[in-house]
């Protein structure tokens, strides 16, 4: 430490040992009380990450928790459709008001701010990342036990923005069982660990298909996620099947009517955070 040190590191160019670590964490809206934040991430697209985000919120809601979903997949938003939400978000003098599902899950997505819901979002990375920060800072979530953040796939601008600016309590990685994705899962896991994010576990989607006649399960995309989870040292929280009834409910906006609890262990992991 220099003898001329004022204790203010913000304008100092020195790299002395006493220099404070810079934090990029942003404060949420002053009217919010959000106890736990969980990011749902994936190394690649098309693995059902948004379905897992939605089902996790639904199951936590069924247990009596106050839940919200922040749809951070700006260029490929699908959360509103899964819940049958077609209205736009409302602007309030204190901030942006999210929509609510039939069972009271609060939802914010870029689709709810577009004049036409099928209009493409043709934005560059910094603008997209800025929209995600706005959903965290300006949306009036109110009191939530859990905020689920549905991140876009990969390790680019938006996941990095979420990891750096939102105080996450954990992340769940979603994958499919092909051997091809093992390297991609490891990349997502390593990114989370690099950012000091607690990885709660791994969810394998499209794990198998069950024969409607004999009930036998067929792993048509192969297997290997269990060994991968052991290799990187995290829990395999669920093996979700290819389920036509689930796909139909998502397409029809009725995901809250799903009866099967595929994510029981994931919900238990979320409850173990012990901040509720």
């Amino acid at each position: 430490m220099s003898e001329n040190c004022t204790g203010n590191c913000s304008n100092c160019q020195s790299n002395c040992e006493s220099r404070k670590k810079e934090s990029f964490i942003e404060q949420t809206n002053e009217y919010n009380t959000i106890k736990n934040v969980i990011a749902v991430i994936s190394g690649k697209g098309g693995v059902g990450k948004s379905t897992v985000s939605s089902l996790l919120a639904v199951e936590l809601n069924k247990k009596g928790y106050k839940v919200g979903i922040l749809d951070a997949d700006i260029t490929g938003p699908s959360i509103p459709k899964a819940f049958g939400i077609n209205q736009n978000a409302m602007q309030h003098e204190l901030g942006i008001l999210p929509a609510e599902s039939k069972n009271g899950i609060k939802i914010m997505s870029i689709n709810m701010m577009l004049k036409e819901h099928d209009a493409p979002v043709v934005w560059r990375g910094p603008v997209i990342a800025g929209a995600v920060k706005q959903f965290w800072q300006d949306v009036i979530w109110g009191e939530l036990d859990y905020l689920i953040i549905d991140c876009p796939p990969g390790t680019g601008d938006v996941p990095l923005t979420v990891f750096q600016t939102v105080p996450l309590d954990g992340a769940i990685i979603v994958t499919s069982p092909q051997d091809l994705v093992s390297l991609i899962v490891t990349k997502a896991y390593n990114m989370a660990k690099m950012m000091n994010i607690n990885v709660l576990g791994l969810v394998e989607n499209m794990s198998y298909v069950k024969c409607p006649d004999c009930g036998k399960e067929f792993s048509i995309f192969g297997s290997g996620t269990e060994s991968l989870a052991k290799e990187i040292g995290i829990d395999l929280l669920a093996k979700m099947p290819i389920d036509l009834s689930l796909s139909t409910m998502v397409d029809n906006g009725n995901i809250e009517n799903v009866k099967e609890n595929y994510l029981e262990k994931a919900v238990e992991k979320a409850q173990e955070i012990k901040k509720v």
Side-chain angles (χ1 to χ4, degrees), residues 92-155:
H92 189 273
E93 61 180 5
L94 301 178
I96 304 169
L97 299 177
E100 287 196 23
S101 72
K102 297 172 185 175
N103 293 334
I105 297 174
K106 295 182 178 180
I107 295 170
M108 188 63 218
S109 172
I110 195 65
N111 261 14
M112 296 158 52
M113 302 186 74
L114 302 175
K115 290 183 179 180
E116 301 293 337
H117 292 173
D118 59 354
V121 178
V122 188
W123 296 346
R124 295 191 183 276
V127 180
I128 294 173
V132 173
K133 289 174 67 174
Q134 184 180 17
F135 288 172
W136 168 249
Q137 294 174 303
D138 296 344
V139 172
I140 304 177
W141 296 101
E143 183 178 343
L144 293 180
D145 296 309
Y146 291 95
L147 178 65
I148 310 300
I149 301 183
D150 179 29
C151 291
T155 56

Side-chain angles (χ1 to χ4, degrees), residues 61-110:
N61 177 258
K62 286 179 180 178
K63 290 187 174 294
Y65 296 113
K66 297 176 182 177
V67 185
I69 307 177
L70 190 163
D71 188 355
D73 196 347
I74 302 297
T75 59
S78 56
I79 297 295
K81 180 176 176 59
F83 286 87
I85 293 175
N86 298 308
Q87 73 267 31
N88 285 341
M90 299 295 293
Q91 184 70 43
H92 189 273
E93 61 180 5
L94 301 178
I96 304 169
L97 299 177
E100 287 196 23
S101 72
K102 297 172 185 175
N103 293 334
I105 297 174
K106 295 182 178 180
I107 295 170
M108 188 63 218
S109 172
I110 195 65

Side-chain angles (χ1 to χ4, degrees), residues 208-210 241-252 262:
Y208 60 90
V209 62
K210 182 179 289 189
I242 298 173
D243 186 343
L244 180 59
S245 64
L246 172 58
S247 300
T248 301
M249 287 186 180
V250 171
D251 289 342
N252 293 334
Y262 296 115

Side-chain angles (χ1 to χ4, degrees), residues 15-260:
N15 288 319
C16 62
E17 292 181 358
S18 61
R19 184 174 176 82
K20 301 172 187 175
K21 268 193 173 181
E22 186 176 6
S23 173
F24 296 98
I25 295 295
E26 301 281 359
Q27 294 296 317
T28 188
N29 192 293
E30 62 179 310
Y31 299 100
N32 296 339
T33 302
I34 303 173
K35 296 178 181 178
N36 305 284
V37 186
I38 298 174
V40 178
I41 64 176
S42 65
K44 65 184 294 294
V47 297
K49 169 186 51 59
S50 295
T51 299
V52 171
S53 298
S54 300
L55 286 176
L56 180 60
V58 168
E59 293 304 326
L60 287 167
N61 177 258
K62 286 179 180 178
K63 290 187 174 294
Y65 296 113
K66 297 176 182 177
V67 185
I69 307 177
L70 190 163
D71 188 355
D73 196 347
I74 302 297
T75 59
S78 56
I79 297 295
K81 180 176 176 59
F83 286 87
I85 293 175
N86 298 308
Q87 73 267 31
N88 285 341
M90 299 295 293
Q91 184 70 43
H92 189 273
E93 61 180 5
L94 301 178
I96 304 169
L97 299 177
E100 287 196 23
S101 72
K102 297 172 185 175
N103 293 334
I105 297 174
K106 295 182 178 180
I107 295 170
M108 188 63 218
S109 172
I110 195 65
N111 261 14
M112 296 158 52
M113 302 186 74
L114 302 175
K115 290 183 179 180
E116 301 293 337
H117 292 173
D118 59 354
V121 178
V122 188
W123 296 346
R124 295 191 183 276
V127 180
I128 294 173
V132 173
K133 289 174 67 174
Q134 184 180 17
F135 288 172
W136 168 249
Q137 294 174 303
D138 296 344
V139 172
I140 304 177
W141 296 101
E143 183 178 343
L144 293 180
D145 296 309
Y146 291 95
L147 178 65
I148 310 300
I149 301 183
D150 179 29
C151 291
T155 56
D157 281 343
V158 174
L160 181 61
T161 296
V162 171
F163 284 5
Q164 286 188 320
T165 62
V166 180
L168 295 179
D169 297 288
I172 292 175
I173 303 175
V174 182
T175 184
S176 54
Q178 299 99 318
D179 289 338
L180 174 66
V181 303
S182 61
L183 177 62
I184 300 170
V185 169
T186 305
K187 285 179 180 290
Y189 172 78
N190 287 338
M191 178 184 181
K193 299 308 290 183
M194 184 185 302
M195 305 299 296
N196 295 316
I197 304 300
N198 178 31
V199 179
L200 302 179
L202 190 64
V203 171
E204 182 185 84
N205 192 26
M206 297 179 283
S207 180
Y208 60 90
V209 62
K210 182 179 289 189
C211 175
D213 296 324
C214 67
K216 187 175 180 180
E217 297 177 359
F218 296 91
S219 300
I220 59 177
F221 292 127
S223 58
T225 305
E226 289 186 40
S227 59
L228 174 62
K230 289 180 181 179
E231 181 181 333
I232 60 180
I234 59 176
D235 294 329
L236 180 59
L237 301 176
K239 299 183 73 172
M240 292 176 55
I242 298 173
D243 186 343
L244 180 59
S245 64
L246 172 58
S247 300
T248 301
M249 287 186 180
V250 171
D251 289 342
N252 293 334
N254 295 318
I255 196 166
E256 289 175 294
N257 296 334
V258 174
K259 302 298 182 185
E260 189 71 33

